Amino acid sequence: MTAIHLITASAQQARAYGRERRRAYWSGALTLVLEKHGLLDVELHSHEDLDVARLDEAIVVLVGDSGGQAWQCDLLALATHGRRQLIAEGPLPAELEERLGVRSQPAPREGSLLVTDSAIRAGTERYGDAVGGHVGVGAWDSTEREPAMDWAALRVPIALERAAAWHAAGWESRRWSRPADVDVVALVEWLDAVDTSERWPAVVAREGLVGCSFGLFGFLAQSHSSPPADGARARKWPRSAGTEALLLALIDRAFEREGRVRARAMPWPAGHSWALTVRHDVDRPIGAAEAGEIVSRHRAAGTAATWYWRARRVEEEGGAEALRAVVAAAGHEVAHHTERLWAGDEQERDALEQAAGSPMRGSCAHGDPTCFRWQGAPNVLRAAELGYRYTELLSHAHLLPHRFAALLDDGDVTTLDVVCLPHHESFDRGMKPGQTYAAQLDVPIDRFRRASGCVQLLNHPDLHREEFFGFLEQLSTTGRLDVTAGELADWWHATHVREQLRVRCGADGAIAVDARLPLRGLVVERRWPDGRLDYVSLDVSGRAQVGPGPGASSPLDLARAPVAQRVSDWGRDVAPRFAALLGRTDLPTGDPRRVTAEINSTLVPERAHELLRLRRSLTGERGLEGLDVLDAGSGVGALTLYLALGCGARSVLGVDAREPLVRSAEQIAVASGVANVRYAVDDVTALIQLEDASVDVVIANNVLSYLSGAEQLDAAL
């Protein structure tokens, strides 16, 4: 059973309805918005192939703008009789407006949204960004560029008529009023763009029907595209995150009224609530030694970077050696910093790939006036044509990656598979020493963190090196996923594309997952009809079923229980056993003996994931899945047990020279029901219990510092 059905008209139908040829029909691309936020149980219909009987399976039906056509009224009975929750965008047919108890007249397409219903406001706030938002086509942003580099002067396959249609607003708006005696609830108000004291109902609800006075779906769908530049001017689109949150809150409301559990895939793997990708733009010459030093600084900071390289830098003395030094570094990657899109960028790519010895997987545009720079859709279309996995989208302020909605010549809209990264946050303000945005970055980074977003932090590797790495050192690591752009794009393709992953939830909360690619640590959020949220993490290869049992209470709790089938709740079931073994949790906060007890009980998951983060920064390897691990100097055995229980290792052996601790650890492992862990009495300077080459990873946590002298240290190593 598919939970969400989206019904729209095709572009051909839209033209048949008498709509302007140059106005694009966008709302079918709303699926991009839903999949970006992890709502993957969605089915798209056009009205011409709609089987209304199939909607009996749906929980919520989204009805896209059809130019006010009467076919929408075929669905009215679903909402009238309480059989289905229906959310319809405007302009609505007269019959639906009558059912909602509103009267309408023409209104401007641009305005702002004010969420007035407290429940909807609370529902939007939990998605992390400001509620409401501005509806419009944005403003023109002028850039200096040589006319010969304008897309219209090159071989970009976009007709001028298509470009004009791309710029046109893909939605309409109506001004609503309602009699005082009509039993209808106004959820959102529309504020006039010129005079904000002028307001009227924008989203209203009556029984199972929610109606919008404007094209909410069309606006949001078009927000995931970017029209071609008009000469030196490009569109700077209004931020749509708050309006997206409004739609998500309306969908949550529909599930709640149906008494059903809503499931969505969370953005990041278990134990992570936001992502950071470091971007280095190699705009000026850089040598191999300098590149190696920066790589070392990243290793110390536990980060890695995507280096966007200008091809001309490879041709300079030492340039190819510098690029190869980055390619050889664990966790780092090189991408294409394009100068001449549609006019020689193939040669740029070939030069970079020849120097790197591997294909380029992503791109971003270089900003010199002599270059193509950012011109909207032509940049993304070219990235897709070159087969890139990811690219940038500069005209929008998105907080999460997403796929791109591309307008076709016939007015229809298609989806490109290239992942558009969120607009970067620049660390460098200028080229002179001290010219950075370090003091201003707290606000935007906090916005990304609250929305579980992805921060793309830009630094030119030849500028402000000490300031940049000082900033990285003080940046919070709580819940942070450090990834390159390529790793981010791979995860997003596997987890936030409807063709790759489907996540469904039964009436009892049981989860069904169908994944095209193997996934570890996929997090599914469940919203129960009473508004309660919980989180289930699972490993998937193909199809998987998870029962209706309770999950963790918040995404970050999954750092303590990243694999739902094997970890019920570390803090509830396992940590107390180690705390009782140490017997010091009754001491005052801050007492060293209590700290020791906490480190070896409740704080074990954080320490384990920090170790894995450090391992990744040193080697580029992620996780322990399928590996045999040695915990050398295991002490009370808590970290050993968590590595086996919560980090996916095939087996973990903990060795310690203190036999009483080893025997206690064995007893707790048996009581906890963990089969892939064992303990042995052994000395880290001898390890007589192990065969050579019998483990893949060795962890020595807080151990080597206690050895006496260089001879013992050498023996242990």
Side-chain angles (χ1 to χ4, degrees):
M1 180 180 73
T2 303
I4 302 173
H5 288 252
L6 172 60
I7 305 169
T8 67
S10 66
Q12 182 178 358
Q13 289 170 321
R15 290 193 298 275
Y17 297 154
R19 303 174 68 187
E20 299 176 17
R21 175 65 180 86
R22 54 190 299 278
R23 180 178 161 216
Y25 190 76
W26 288 96
S27 63
L30 184 68
T31 53
L32 297 183
V33 184
L34 301 179
E35 73 176 21
K36 181 178 85 169
H37 289 282
L39 295 175
L40 302 168
D41 191 11
V42 180
E43 189 169 330
L44 176 64
H45 311 266
S46 68
H47 178 242
E48 58 192 356
D49 62 10
L50 175 64
D51 179 2
V52 176
R54 289 201 58 200
L55 301 183
D56 283 337
E57 301 176 351
I59 295 172
V60 56
V61 181
L62 308 176
V63 184
D65 169 29
S66 65
Q69 294 304 303
W71 66 262
Q72 290 184 338
C73 299
D74 297 342
L75 304 169
L76 182 57
L78 293 175
T80 302
H81 301 295
R83 293 168 53 204
R84 283 296 162 267
Q85 302 298 312
L86 190 69
I87 302 174
E89 71 166 349
L92 300 180
E95 292 87 344
L96 285 184
E97 289 188 338
E98 182 179 354
R99 178 74 189 107
L100 286 169
V102 296
R103 299 166 182 166
S104 74
Q105 55 183 309
R109 285 194 177 104
E110 299 211 13
S112 298
L113 300 176
L114 176 65
V115 180
T116 53
D117 181 82
S118 59
I120 296 297
R121 175 174 286 275
T124 58
E125 287 174 345
R126 65 165 304 275
Y127 289 99
D129 202 54
V131 299
H134 184 77
V135 177
V137 295
W140 291 104
D141 192 9
S142 296
T143 55
E144 183 183 353
R145 181 174 54 250
E146 290 186 355
M149 281 283 95
D150 287 351
W151 68 264
L154 301 171
R155 55 186 179 88
V156 181
I158 300 177
L160 295 179
E161 182 184 14
R162 180 182 174 194
W166 217 319
H167 278 283
W171 69 92
E172 294 177 2
S173 179
R174 302 289 291 178
R175 178 171 181 150
W176 278 355
S177 60
R178 59 190 177 96
D181 59 345
V182 174
D183 182 21
V184 63
V185 178
L187 306 177
V188 180
E189 289 188 343
W190 181 279
L191 307 184
D192 185 84
V194 178
D195 182 2
T196 55
S197 65
E198 287 287 315
R199 58 180 63 184
W200 53 87
V203 180
V204 302
R206 191 173 190 182
E207 298 175 347
L209 174 63
V210 172
C212 305
S213 67
F214 65 104
L216 172 63
F217 304 168
F219 167 71
L220 289 180
Q222 198 170 0
S223 297
H224 290 71
S225 184
S226 184
D230 180 11
R233 302 188 308 163
R235 282 286 186 190
K236 188 174 183 180
W237 201 262
R239 185 185 295 273
S240 63
T243 316
E244 294 170 31
L246 167 61
L247 176 61
L248 299 178
L250 293 174
I251 292 174
D252 285 350
R253 176 185 182 274
F255 274 83
E256 182 177 316
R257 287 176 56 88
E258 284 283 303
R260 298 297 296 263
V261 184
R262 189 270 293 137
R264 71 179 181 116
M266 294 298 284
W268 313 115
H272 304 283
S273 59
W274 63 293
L276 173 70
T277 177
V278 175
R279 166 178 164 174
H280 284 318
D281 283 11
V282 184
D283 292 343
R284 289 163 291 278
I286 185 171
E290 191 176 10
E293 179 188 348
I294 297 169
V295 166
S296 298
R297 297 294 297 270
H298 275 293
R299 185 180 302 120
T303 54
T306 302
W307 302 60
Y308 291 86
W309 219 286
R310 294 176 70 184
R312 67 178 64 230
R313 300 282 82 94
V314 174
E315 301 166 359
E316 297 164 342
E317 183 178 356
E321 290 78 6
L323 184 147
R324 284 192 284 269
V326 170
V327 171
H332 292 256
E333 68 174 342
V334 171
H336 184 185
H337 203 26
T338 57
E339 296 184 55
R340 306 187 67 81
L341 277 81
W342 304 96
D345 51 354
E346 301 101 325
Q347 289 80 8
E348 296 174 6
R349 178 195 58 189
D350 293 345
L352 290 169
E353 291 183 347
Q354 183 175 357
S358 58
M360 297 292 103
R361 302 187 68 224
S363 66
C364 73
H366 183 61
D368 280 355
T370 58
C371 299
F372 191 91
R373 305 190 72 175
W374 170 253
Q375 298 191 52
N379 296 67
V380 186
L381 292 173
R382 187 58 170 168
E385 186 170 296
L386 293 177
Y388 288 152
R389 191 74 157 173
Y390 59 89
T391 191
E392 65 181 349
L393 190 67
L394 288 183
S395 55
H396 293 255
H398 289 279
L399 301 174
L400 288 167
H402 62 86
R403 293 195 289 170
F404 187 78
L407 179 67
L408 302 178
D409 283 332
D410 66 358
D412 211 345
V413 177
T414 190
T415 297
L416 303 184
D417 278 338
V418 61
V419 170
C420 297
L421 302 179
H423 194 303
H424 64 264
E425 298 292 334
S426 181
F427 183 81
D428 305 318
R429 182 168 51 88
M431 297 185 63
K432 295 181 179 179
Q435 290 183 333
T436 76
Y437 288 111
Q440 290 79 40
L441 284 173
D442 287 346
V443 172
I445 289 179
D446 184 62
R447 179 184 295 120
F448 279 97
R449 291 176 60 190
R450 286 185 289 108
S452 296
C454 174
V455 179
Q456 190 181 189
L457 188 59
L458 167 63
N459 163 252
H460 298 80
D462 58 315
L463 300 177
H464 310 120
R465 194 169 305 157
E466 293 301 321
E467 297 96 326
F468 180 70
F469 283 101
F471 181 82
L472 282 183
E473 289 174 4
Q474 59 85 35
L475 191 60
S476 174
T477 60
T478 302
R480 191 178 89 194
L481 175 67
D482 291 291
V483 288
T484 62
E487 292 170 331
L488 186 155
D490 287 342
W491 173 262
W492 209 256
H493 269 283
T495 60
H496 284 74
V497 172
R498 289 187 307 124
E499 294 83 359
Q500 297 292 332
L501 180 69
R502 297 297 295 271
V503 178
R504 298 177 173 88
C505 209
D508 61 352
I511 300 170
V513 178
D514 190 353
R516 292 281 185 90
L517 298 172
L519 295 171
R520 296 197 65 85
L522 173 70
V523 180
V524 177
E525 177 190 78
R526 291 184 296 194
R527 185 185 188 277
W528 298 81
D530 61 3
R532 175 171 47 94
L533 299 169
D534 69 2
Y535 300 85
V536 177
S537 174
L538 62 155
D539 305 332
V540 185
S541 182
R543 293 183 177 179
Q545 299 280 338
V546 179
S553 60
S554 73
L556 279 180
D557 286 345
L558 291 164
R560 294 180 172 84
V563 185
Q565 293 90 336
R566 293 173 298 185
V567 181
S568 58
D569 188 337
W570 171 272
R572 182 191 65 208
D573 296 333
V574 184
R577 296 185 176 120
F578 286 102
L581 171 66
L582 295 161
R584 312 308 296 171
T585 55
D586 58 337
L587 295 171
T589 301
D591 187 290
R593 293 165 294 178
R594 175 168 179 167
V595 171
T596 298
E598 291 174 342
I599 288 173
N600 288 280
S601 57
T602 58
L603 299 183
V604 166
E606 284 83 354
R607 176 160 290 201
H609 287 282
E610 180 69 7
L611 284 167
L612 296 185
R613 186 184 72 81
L614 291 172
R615 174 174 175 263
R616 177 182 176 276
S617 72
L618 292 169
T619 68
E621 298 292 330
R622 188 194 305 279
L624 300 174
E625 292 78 10
L627 301 179
D628 297 312
V629 180
L630 169 67
D631 184 8
S634 54
V636 298
L639 176 64
T640 316
L641 186 60
Y642 185 82
L643 294 173
L645 184 67
C647 296
R650 180 169 61 183
S651 71
V652 184
L653 170 64
V655 301
D656 199 276
R658 295 162 290 182
E659 184 172 359
L661 293 182
V662 171
R663 301 307 171 216
S664 298
E666 289 175 335
Q667 294 174 8
I668 293 177
V670 171
S672 302
V674 184
N676 61 327
V677 65
R678 64 186 181 93
Y679 297 90
V681 179
D682 205 341
D683 192 303
V684 296
T685 63
L687 295 179
I688 60 175
Q689 301 280 0
L690 273 75
E691 299 289 338
D692 287 348
S694 60
V695 297
D696 303 299
V697 177
V698 178
I699 290 176
N701 174 52
N702 198 24
V703 171
L704 299 181
S705 59
Y706 289 98
L707 297 178
S708 300
E711 290 186 4
Q712 279 199 348
L713 182 60
D714 288 342
L717 295 176

